[in-house]
């Protein structure tokens, strides 16, 4: 058993590897999603502002761009943007459903496929030899991917003119931070385990 792993009944769980590869998977999935966005006929800035109901003066241009890119990445993983008014009223918006900027299924598939690949790699490095050991190794991506998923949910936020635009933290944690790496990373690990 390597020093970066915890043993669960004879099965090695690569905690440090999960942290490192989880972070790398998040970054690559983010970049790949934005790269796909760039290859599409992206909507104009004004149309994007309309989708999110931005008012004039809502943040700087670069601040809006950074947040919109982050929101698209989370929208691709089934987490909408939550817009809250002064009176506490809320609506949610998913840019991928509201504006035609490429095939939503491609956006959905990008992080899942990246996690499958890194789950397989992590299971390989952990020397997984069965479906169970492979799943546990691949699912360890939760450590790194989950940390950045939470960090991103807290970072991609704007409050202007009485409206707060943010990602629901519980959705970001459960869906992006846990479900995606658990299922996709675990699947990659299983593939390595059964193909050994």
């Amino acid at each position: 058993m390597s020093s970066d792993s915890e043993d669960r009944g004879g099965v090695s769980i690569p905690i440090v590897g999960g942290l490192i590869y989880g972070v790398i998977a998040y970054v690559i999935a983010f970049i790949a999603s934005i790269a796909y966005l760039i290859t599409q006929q992206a909507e104009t800035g004004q149309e994007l502002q309309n989708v999110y109901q931005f008012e004039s003066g809502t943040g700087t241009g670069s601040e809006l761009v950074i947040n919109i890119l982050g929101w698209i990445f989370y929208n691709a993983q089934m987490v909408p943007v939550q817009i809250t008014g002064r009176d506490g009223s809320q609506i949610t918006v998913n840019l991928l459903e509201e504006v035609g900027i490429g095939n939503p299924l491609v956006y959905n598939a990008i992080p899942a496929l990246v996690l499958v690949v890194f789950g397989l790699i992590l299971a390989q490095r952990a020397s997984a030899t069965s479906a169970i050991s492979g799943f546990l190794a691949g699912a360890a991506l939760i450590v790194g991917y989950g940390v950045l998923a939470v960090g991103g949910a807290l970072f991609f936020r704007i409050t202007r003119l009485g409206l707060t635009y943010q990602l629901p933290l519980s959705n970001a944690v459960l869906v992006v931070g846990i479900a995606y790496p658990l299922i996709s990373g675990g699947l990659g690990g299983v593939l390595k385990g059964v193909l050994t």
Side-chain angles (χ1 to χ4, degrees), residues 23-128:
V23 166
I24 294 171
Y26 181 98
V27 171
I28 289 177
F30 187 93
I31 292 171
S33 298
I34 302 313
Y36 176 66
L37 170 67
I38 291 171
T39 66
Q40 306 305 302
Q41 291 293 323
E43 301 300 319
T44 65
Q46 184 59 50
E47 288 168 320
L48 290 172
Q49 289 186 14
N50 290 340
V51 169
Y52 284 120
Q53 299 184 2
F54 287 130
E55 301 289 343
S56 175
T58 306
T60 64
S62 60
E63 185 181 17
L64 286 178
V65 169
I66 290 169
N67 278 280
I68 287 172
L69 294 179
W71 294 336
I72 287 172
F73 181 60
Y74 281 79
N75 288 172
Q77 295 173 87
M78 314 302 180
V79 176
V81 175
Q82 181 177 287
I83 304 172
T84 307
R86 283 193 185 98
D87 60 359
S89 60
Q90 295 180 340
I91 63 169
T92 57
V93 177
N94 186 318
L95 181 63
L96 301 180
E97 295 173 357
E98 299 288 340
V99 181
I101 49 174
N103 187 336
L105 293 178
V106 174
Y107 287 102
N108 299 151
I110 288 171
L113 290 175
V114 169
L115 284 163
V116 167
V117 169
F118 276 91
L120 195 153
I121 292 171
L122 191 53
Q124 172 71 36
R125 293 187 59 84
S127 302

